[in-house]
Amino acid sequence: VEERKRISLENAKRNGNIISGARNIKDPNTEESCKWAESYYNQIRAQSTDCEKIAKRLNVDIKDVRKIKNYLFYDKSLYDEDLEIWRRFDADAAIAQSW
C-alpha cells in the first residue's frame, strides 16, 4: 500500500496534478479552477448539514468539524500584511474538493 501511495504521488507530481482525496485536480491555479473554488466556497458556507455528515463519517465530534469549517470558510483567519487587515482565506480548489 505504501509503495502504491509513493508511486501515485510521484506520478501526480510528474504530471502536474494534485491529488485531493479521491479527486484529481489538473491545475488548481487556472482562472476556471479559482472561479469554481469561489463558487463552491459559497455553497459550502450555505450548507447546514455538512458538519454533521462529516463528523459521522469520520467518527469525530461535530464541534471540531464546525471549528474547522469556521476557520477555513467563515472566520477572518488570515492576516493580510499588504492590506493590514484580517481576512478570510482565498478560495482554494483542493480544499473545496476535499470538503
Side-chain angles (χ1 to χ4, degrees):
V1 173
E2 291 303 316
E3 180 66 10
R4 286 198 327 229
K5 286 181 187 176
R6 185 188 63 74
I7 291 169
S8 293
L9 183 58
E10 286 176 6
N11 288 337
K13 287 179 182 177
R14 218 180 356 262
N15 296 329
N17 299 340
I18 293 177
I19 298 171
S20 174
R23 296 180 176 99
N24 191 350
I25 304 166
K26 288 292 183 189
D27 185 352
N29 297 316
T30 64
E31 185 177 339
E32 181 182 9
S33 291
C34 292
K35 285 181 181 179
W36 174 84
E38 189 63 44
S39 173
Y40 200 67
Y41 266 48
N42 289 331
Q43 291 177 38
I44 291 168
R45 289 182 186 117
Q47 293 175 9
S48 61
T49 60
D50 55 335
C51 291
E52 182 179 353
K53 290 177 184 176
I54 291 168
K56 283 182 181 178
R57 186 177 321 127
L58 299 176
N59 195 31
V60 297
D61 192 322
I62 191 170
K63 291 178 187 176
D64 292 333
V65 177
R66 283 187 183 130
K67 284 180 189 177
I68 293 166
K69 183 176 182 178
N70 287 336
Y71 178 76
L72 291 173
F73 302 107
Y74 293 109
D75 295 346
K76 294 179 179 180
S77 302
L78 175 67
Y79 184 73
D80 188 322
E81 292 181 9
D82 295 331
L83 300 174
E84 297 182 345
I85 60 168
W86 286 92
R87 63 177 183 83
R88 288 180 177 168
F89 290 113
D90 293 330
D92 181 279
I95 291 173
Q97 282 193 328
S98 295
W99 192 261

